Amino acid sequence: MSWFAIYTRPKNEKKVVEGLEKLGIEVYCPMITQVKQWSDRKKKVEMPLINSYVFVNIEDKKRNIVFEVPGVVRYLFWLGKPAIIQEQEIDTLKASLKGIFSSVEVNGIQPGDSLTISQGPFQGKEGVVAHVDKNKIRLVLKELGVLITISKEIE
């Protein structure tokens, strides 16, 4: 069996995970807890680390069964074939989420700067700063080609 990345409809990751688990498929969706600020309150919300993606461990010949779950769009492809994610990459992702950082300080960083992430789930990955706000940075990871947001935790 191999790990594959599945692209889901936006904000459907949790529903897709539940549906795939009901089919007996091993699935992994890395989740993080963020503090969200509304006008009247703050709340901790569990969100996917990588928006619109979940990982499944499934036999190649049974790959089409995932399309029975509402919210599944397609597999992620690499060089014309479904991208296979190595077991050690999934294990590394799981292990790195255990030591996730709690706050970020944004000082002297400008769009276009190149940064290497020093801690958290993307530790060691290099990215280019796309946008800087008072409490967050949007960073495009070169290796993965994804946009991530690093936020300062609201106290």
Side-chain angles (χ1 to χ4, degrees):
M1 292 198 319
S2 301
W3 284 96
F4 297 95
I6 294 179
Y7 182 72
T8 68
R9 279 191 250 150
K11 305 205 185 295
N12 274 241
E13 300 90 352
K14 290 180 185 178
K15 292 176 188 172
V16 168
V17 167
E18 290 172 12
L20 291 169
E21 286 175 341
K22 285 180 184 175
L23 292 175
I25 298 171
E26 183 182 358
V27 62
Y28 176 59
C29 181
M31 303 294 279
I32 58 171
T33 302
Q34 288 186 331
V35 177
K36 292 289 186 173
Q37 174 76 53
W38 281 270
S39 60
D40 61 337
R41 68 189 186 284
K42 295 176 188 173
K43 185 177 179 181
K44 288 187 177 182
V45 180
E46 191 174 54
M47 301 179 63
L49 176 65
I50 306 170
N51 292 331
S52 296
Y53 284 95
V54 298
F55 302 101
V56 293
N57 192 6
I58 193 167
E59 292 179 40
D60 195 38
K61 63 184 178 184
K62 294 183 179 180
R63 280 189 308 110
N64 287 336
I65 196 170
V66 301
F67 295 109
E68 293 177 14
V69 177
V72 172
V73 176
R74 62 180 168 81
Y75 280 96
L76 178 68
F77 278 74
W78 177 256
L79 300 175
K81 296 179 183 177
I84 296 174
I85 291 106
Q86 301 298 317
E87 182 84 32
Q88 71 240 25
E89 291 173 330
I90 298 293
D91 292 341
T92 301
L93 189 56
K94 287 178 181 178
S96 64
L97 281 175
K98 292 177 186 172
I100 197 156
F101 50 92
S102 59
S103 65
V104 173
E105 192 172 317
V106 179
N107 287 327
I109 299 172
Q110 300 294 322
D113 288 354
S114 198
L115 292 177
T116 301
I117 299 174
S118 62
Q119 50 185 313
F122 295 111
Q123 182 175 358
K125 302 289 184 207
E126 190 173 327
V128 176
V129 177
H131 183 76
V132 179
D133 279 337
K134 180 179 167 188
N135 294 326
K136 64 185 172 186
I137 299 173
R138 293 224 165 109
L139 189 67
V140 178
L141 298 181
K142 292 178 182 178
E143 209 172 289
L144 303 173
V146 296
L147 178 72
I148 63 168
T149 302
I150 302 172
S151 300
K152 182 176 181 181
E153 189 172 294
I154 299 169
E155 314 247 338

